[in-house]
Amino acid sequence: MFEKEIYQQRRSHLCELVGSGIILLPGNSDSSINYPDNIYHFRQDSHFIYFIGIDQPDLFILIDIDAQKTILFGEELTMDDIIWTGPMESLSNQAEKSGITQVMPSSALSGFINKAQTENREIHFLPPFRAKNMLKLASLLGIPAQQLKEAASEKLIRVVVALRSIKGSEEIAELNKAAAIGYAMHYAAMTGAVPGAFERDLAGLIDGIALSKGYGVSFPTILSQKGEVLHGHDHSQVLEKGRLMLCDAGAESLSHYASDFTRTTPVGGHFTSQKKDLYQIVLDANNKAFELIRPGVFYKDVHLDCCRVMAEGLKSLGILKGNMDEAVAQGVHALFMVHGLGHMMGLDVHDMEDLGEDYVGYDAEMSRSSQFGLSSLRLGRRLQPGFVMTVEPGLYFIPALIQKWESQKHLAEYIDYSKAKEYIGIGGIRLEDDVLVTVSGCRIIGEKRLPITPVEIEGLF
Ligand code: GLY
Ligand code: MN
C-alpha cells in the first residue's frame, strides 16, 4: 500500500468531483476454477485498489459524501481462515493504513443502503462486470443484475476516469517496476528464440519470470510465429529458423500496476531482407509516435500519422500505390494495421476498460470513428501530462482478410493485391512500448527500452 495520505487525497478528490450522495464500491471475491474450493489467484478490483488499497477479498466501501464518512464493510479473520490461509493483518489495521477509521461487518451494509434509498439519496456505483459483484449489488440495491450496467452512475464513471487517467509519481514508480519485470520477460523470450524450441517453452519461461518477480502476467501471454493472430494464445509450434516470433507480454507489479510490451524476433536471430524491410517500417512508425506524443495532441492524430508512415513504407515495397494521404483517409492501411496504436495503461493493462472503452479513450471533443481499423483505436482523445499508454504499431498479413478485400476489389486503386499476397506467411510484426506523457513531450516507462533495432536484435544472438 502507498502512504495513507494518498488514499485520503484520492477519496477527497473523488467526493469533491462527484459532489453529493453515496458512493458504493465492491471489492472482488475469490473466483472458482473447476470446483468451489479451487480458486484463481485472487485479484482485487482495480478501483478498490486505487481508492482504498486493501488487497483482500469480500470487502465493500461506502463513502457518504454529504456526511463525510467512509466505512469499510468486511469480516475479521475467523479461526478457520487462520488455519487454512494463515494469520493476516487485522482488517481494522489495514483500514487504518488507508486512513479509514470505521470498520463494520458486511451484514450492516444493507441497513445503510435501505436508509439511503428511503431518503431518496443518490447511490453512485460503477458498472460491475464480475458475476459475484453483480449479484452482491443486485441484492443490495434491489436492481436486477442485467439492469446494473444501465443504472450505474455516469457521473462516477467520468470522475473515476478523470482521476485514474493522470498517474501520480507513486504510480509511475510502480509502473517502472512492472516494466522492469516486462523487460526481463522479453529479454528471455528474445534470446531464447532459437530453432527447435517450442513456443510454449518460452511462454512458460516468461510467465514464470512474471510470477517470480511480481504478481504474475498482466494479461495472457501472446507468443507465436503466427503473429497475424492478434490475440492468439496457442503456443504449440516448434520455432523454425528465420520465422518471426511475435511476443506480446507484460507483468503486474506486486501492487498491481501493469506493463505491456511487444517485440518481434527472427528465430535464430537473423532477418531476411524482406522481413527486415517490413520490420523497419513498423519501427519507423513506433519511433514516429515518440516524436509526436505531447500534451494537447489527439492520440487519434498520432495513430493516423503512424499509419501514414507505414502506408508510405508499404508503398515503397510496392504493396500500396497512389496518394497515401488519400489512401489512409479511406482506411486502406487497415488491411495490414487492423488495430489501434495503443491504449491507456495503469492498474489494468487496458486501463479502466471495465467502465467502457469510450469513457476512457474518447470524450465530447473526440468520438470514435466507425471506419474499419480506426474503430478499434481504444484511445483517441487529447493527451494530458500524466497519461500512460502503449505505442504499438503493427503490420499483419491475414490471409482471410486479404482474400475478402481482394474478392470485393476493396480500395483496389491503392492496393497491389498480388504483391500483398507474396507476404502471406510472414505473419505479423508488432513493436510495443509503454509511454508517459510529460509536460513537454513523452518518455518511455522503464529504465531502458528493450532491444528494438534490427542491429540490436541480431546482436542478441
Ligand atoms: N497487449 C495486448 C493488448 O494490448 O491487447
Ligand atoms: Mn497493448
Side-chain angles (χ1 to χ4, degrees):
M1 283 177 76
F2 299 124
E3 297 295 309
K4 76 171 156 202
E5 288 73 20
I6 288 187
Y7 300 104
Q8 285 171 321
Q9 201 175 56
R10 289 174 180 177
R11 292 196 296 269
S12 119
H13 285 149
L14 178 70
C15 292
E16 211 175 289
L17 293 170
V18 174
S20 69
I22 281 176
I23 297 171
L24 192 58
L25 285 180
N28 282 340
S29 298
D30 277 320
S31 190
S32 301
I33 307 172
N34 51 342
Y35 57 91
D37 278 353
N38 201 20
I39 52 174
Y40 290 102
H41 201 30
F42 175 69
R43 174 54 155 84
Q44 183 57 289
D45 176 78
S46 294
H47 308 295
F48 202 91
I49 298 174
Y50 184 81
F51 290 107
I52 313 299
I54 305 177
D55 198 358
Q56 109 179 26
D58 300 324
L59 304 175
F60 247 105
I61 273 286
L62 182 146
I63 302 175
D64 186 329
I65 302 175
D66 311 300
Q68 298 183 356
K69 230 172 24 186
T70 299
I71 310 173
L72 175 67
F73 294 88
E75 315 303 329
E76 293 292 356
L77 290 191
T78 62
M79 185 51 70
D80 243 23
D81 294 326
I82 293 167
I83 290 168
W84 288 96
T85 55
M88 259 178 46
E89 192 172 6
S90 73
L91 197 53
S92 50
N93 264 7
Q94 294 187 74
E96 159 65 25
K97 286 186 180 162
S98 178
I100 297 168
T101 49
Q102 262 190 295
V103 181
M104 292 189 172
S106 306
S107 57
L109 178 56
S110 60
F112 281 84
I113 299 296
N114 293 344
K115 183 164 180 290
Q117 285 177 324
T118 316
E119 292 166 355
N120 262 329
R121 298 187 61 203
E122 198 165 3
I123 302 176
H124 301 272
F125 60 92
L126 297 170
F129 60 97
R130 281 201 175 199
K132 275 194 188 167
N133 284 349
M134 283 184 184
L135 293 174
K136 284 189 253 178
L137 281 173
S139 139
L140 267 174
L141 298 166
I143 301 174
Q146 63 273 27
Q147 286 171 26
L148 284 167
K149 196 170 171 209
E150 290 269 288
S153 162
E154 188 174 338
K155 177 122 204 204
L156 182 59
I157 293 172
R158 291 193 185 281
V159 168
V160 168
V161 169
L163 293 174
R164 282 186 54 192
S165 292
I166 310 292
K167 271 61 182 182
S169 54
E170 75 287 356
E171 297 186 279
I172 305 297
E174 284 304 314
L175 286 160
N176 278 327
K177 289 182 197 167
I181 307 170
Y183 189 103
M185 292 162 70
H186 279 272
Y187 199 87
M190 292 162 89
T191 52
V194 293
F198 274 94
E199 292 165 347
R200 61 174 167 265
D201 293 333
L202 298 182
L205 175 70
I206 70 173
D207 284 11
I209 293 172
L211 205 50
S212 68
K213 293 179 186 289
Y215 203 75
V217 293
S218 51
F219 60 95
T221 292
I222 299 161
L223 188 150
S224 173
Q225 293 164 110
K226 288 170 83 59
E228 78 280 14
V229 182
L230 297 185
H231 278 179
H233 300 296
D234 179 80
H235 305 135
S236 63
Q237 295 186 93
V238 179
L239 298 182
E240 292 167 24
K241 190 170 168 37
R243 284 184 74 187
L244 294 176
M245 181 190 86
L246 186 151
C247 176
D248 182 349
E252 193 167 300
S253 74
L254 287 172
S255 51
H256 305 296
Y257 282 82
S259 59
D260 180 6
F261 300 117
T262 307
R263 286 295 182 265
T264 307
T265 311
V267 174
H270 179 73
F271 285 98
T272 61
S273 67
Q274 186 199 40
K275 286 175 182 137
K276 194 183 282 187
D277 288 346
L278 266 183
Y279 185 96
Q280 189 61 46
I281 294 170
V282 181
L283 179 54
D284 290 345
N286 180 304
N287 287 333
K288 182 75 181 175
F290 280 93
E291 273 173 37
L292 297 175
I293 293 171
R294 61 178 184 278
V297 303
F298 290 106
Y299 205 51
K300 180 182 172 185
D301 288 341
V302 181
H303 167 92
L304 287 171
D305 279 341
C306 291
C307 290
R308 267 188 287 274
V309 166
M310 291 196 285
E312 290 291 355
L314 292 171
K315 184 179 169 184
S316 73
L317 298 182
I319 297 173
L320 294 181
K321 53 192 181 180
N323 179 311
M324 286 304 104
D325 287 343
E326 287 168 17
V328 168
Q330 298 213 38
V332 78
H333 55 282
L335 178 56
F336 309 104
M337 161 80 176
V338 204
H339 58 73
L341 183 64
H343 49 84
M344 297 279 244
M345 197 185 73
L347 280 164
D348 311 299
V349 69
H350 288 190
D351 216 18
M352 301 172 277
E353 232 168 62
D354 59 302
L355 301 180
E357 271 180 55
D358 283 0
Y359 285 116
V360 182
Y362 293 90
D363 56 16
E365 216 184 1
M366 177 60 74
S367 53
R368 185 186 286 260
S369 163
S370 59
Q371 187 185 69
F372 177 72
L374 196 49
S375 62
S376 296
L377 178 63
R378 297 179 134 91
L379 173 64
R381 67 184 164 121
R382 226 183 254 285
L383 302 176
Q384 296 173 43
F387 278 20
V388 169
M389 70 265 178
T390 63
V391 167
E392 49 181 307
L395 287 177
Y396 312 89
F397 291 83
I398 304 170
L401 186 61
I402 295 174
Q403 272 154 26
K404 180 178 175 206
W405 277 36
E406 186 183 22
S407 70
Q408 296 169 339
K409 299 193 171 44
H410 187 48
L411 298 172
E413 64 273 38
Y414 299 114
I415 303 165
D416 183 333
Y417 279 106
S418 25
K419 189 79 187 161
K421 284 192 290 190
E422 286 174 20
Y423 287 78
I424 287 180
I426 276 192
I429 298 171
R430 179 162 64 251
L431 296 172
E432 179 176 24
D433 291 307
D434 302 336
V435 181
L436 166 70
V437 182
T438 62
V439 283
S440 57
C442 68
R443 73 170 168 77
I444 206 154
I445 295 279
E447 228 170 73
K448 51 187 176 185
R449 194 183 194 189
L450 274 160
I452 194 164
T453 64
V455 170
E456 286 167 347
I457 307 259
E458 292 187 344
L460 293 174
F461 289 83

